[in-house]
Amino acid sequence: MALPTVNVEDVRKALSNHLSKLGFEVYPLKIGWYNVVLPPSLHLSYSDDTLGAVVLSTPAMFEQAFLPFMESRGWKGVSADPIDQCVKHCINNTVSECFPGLKVDVSYDYEMLPSRKPKFLAQSAAHVAGAVYYYQHSDIPDHPWGEKKMFGVCIHPRLGGWFAIRAMLVFVGSEVGSELQQTAPPDCVPTREDRIQLLEDFNLRWQDWSYRDIVPPVQTYSQKQRKYFSTPPAQRLDLLTDWGYLTGGEEDNTQEN
């Protein structure tokens, strides 16, 4: 029996029309692109031509989606990480509204399998989708760190490091053909010296956020957003209360790190 097909541009437009106004970006991909760059133990169990999409949040998400979400919820339902709750709310509502006849598996960047492995490797997915370039020590000839572990980081061609990879959508059983062609992500940090600077800033000085400005960003986090993410997670609900986005209530709500 033939598998159902979907129109890639229709899917992209439907997702973007709903999510872009909330501060998200959407990048389609084929699951085979993701699986081919990873070992078999990390493969997603879908056919190579299955349609997927990676969702990023931009700096605008905080004011356009998160703060209105918190204001509308008050204390109601706020228990885990509020950002994660907001992202899940926005994406799940979009999927339900746009694709009622399709089976869509949604995995979020914070979700883990029973094996404690992440449900998907967000940086690899965003790279193969052409959204952002995933810079690793293997991208630097004769890197200066020897055997020292240096974690890689993705850089957005317009936002630098001022973004986050939030989710992977998989349209189960929906295959796409040659209309979806893979394009390489923009290599916006092309020199060896800048790549060394990027990985050292990210690994050794990540708290000052300097790595985010490795390319001139068109938009960065607002001062309120910087304050929120600089606040320890356990204190963020108190901060939201001080800002007036949580009205208070009888429930004792806590947030884990």
Side-chain angles (χ1 to χ4, degrees):
M1 183 175 64
L3 292 170
T5 59
V6 292
N7 184 285
V8 176
E9 187 60 17
D10 288 346
V11 169
R12 188 195 64 77
K13 283 184 177 180
L15 289 170
S16 295
N17 286 344
H18 281 72
L19 292 174
S20 62
K21 61 188 176 185
L22 299 175
F24 296 94
E25 294 181 347
V26 177
Y27 296 86
L29 76 157
K30 291 182 181 181
I31 299 304
W33 304 348
Y34 174 87
N35 284 344
V36 77
V37 300
L38 296 170
S41 63
L42 296 174
H43 286 184
L44 300 178
S45 56
Y46 308 95
S47 65
D48 285 349
D49 285 336
T50 301
L51 177 64
V54 174
V55 180
L56 312 183
S57 64
T58 74
M61 185 275 290
F62 193 79
E63 276 78 17
Q64 293 176 196
F66 178 63
L67 293 182
F69 172 80
M70 295 308 303
E71 190 170 26
S72 68
R73 288 295 180 96
W75 285 105
K76 182 181 179 182
V78 179
S79 56
D81 184 282
I83 289 282
D84 291 344
Q85 285 187 284
C86 171
V87 170
K88 186 173 185 177
H89 170 81
C90 293
I91 294 177
N92 283 359
N93 280 1
T94 295
V95 169
S96 296
E97 183 172 342
C98 293
F99 312 109
L102 296 178
K103 177 174 172 53
V104 184
D105 288 346
V106 184
S107 298
Y108 294 95
D109 64 297
Y110 55 86
E111 291 184 315
M112 307 293 285
L113 297 168
S115 63
R116 303 307 299 164
K117 292 179 181 179
K119 283 194 170 182
F120 76 106
L121 297 185
Q123 297 197 104
S124 295
H127 180 98
V128 299
V132 292
Y133 200 108
Y134 182 23
Y135 292 97
Q136 305 175 72
H137 64 80
S138 57
D139 294 307
I140 304 172
D142 300 319
H143 64 74
W145 308 299
E147 298 301 315
K148 180 179 174 61
K149 176 68 174 178
M150 298 292 280
F151 293 100
V153 60
C154 285
I155 295 297
H156 192 290
R158 292 181 297 101
L159 300 173
W162 300 97
F163 74 98
I165 306 162
R166 296 297 182 182
M168 163 90 91
L169 281 58
V170 179
F171 292 79
V172 181
S174 297
E175 296 197 341
V176 293
S178 60
E179 72 273 18
L180 182 57
Q181 294 291 320
Q182 187 172 15
T183 58
D187 182 3
C188 47
V189 188
T191 71
R192 177 178 182 273
E193 293 74 16
D194 284 346
R195 291 180 181 185
I196 290 173
Q197 183 71 50
L198 170 63
L199 292 196
E200 289 187 348
D201 285 348
F202 179 68
N203 283 268
L204 307 178
R205 296 174 287 275
W206 61 270
Q207 288 178 308
D208 70 11
W209 292 1
S210 58
Y211 78 90
R212 298 179 187 267
D213 293 320
I214 192 69
V215 299
V218 300
Q219 184 183 26
T220 66
Y221 291 174
S222 65
Q223 288 303 312
K224 180 170 281 190
Q225 186 169 184
R226 294 183 194 212
K227 173 69 173 175
Y228 180 84
F229 285 117
S230 296
T231 299
Q235 299 173 23
R236 289 175 183 172
L237 289 185
D238 290 338
L239 181 64
L240 290 167
T241 301
D242 291 343
W243 287 345
Y245 291 101
L246 295 178
T247 57
E250 296 179 356
E251 295 179 70
D252 178 18
N253 290 279
T254 59
Q255 180 178 326
E256 298 178 357
N257 286 304

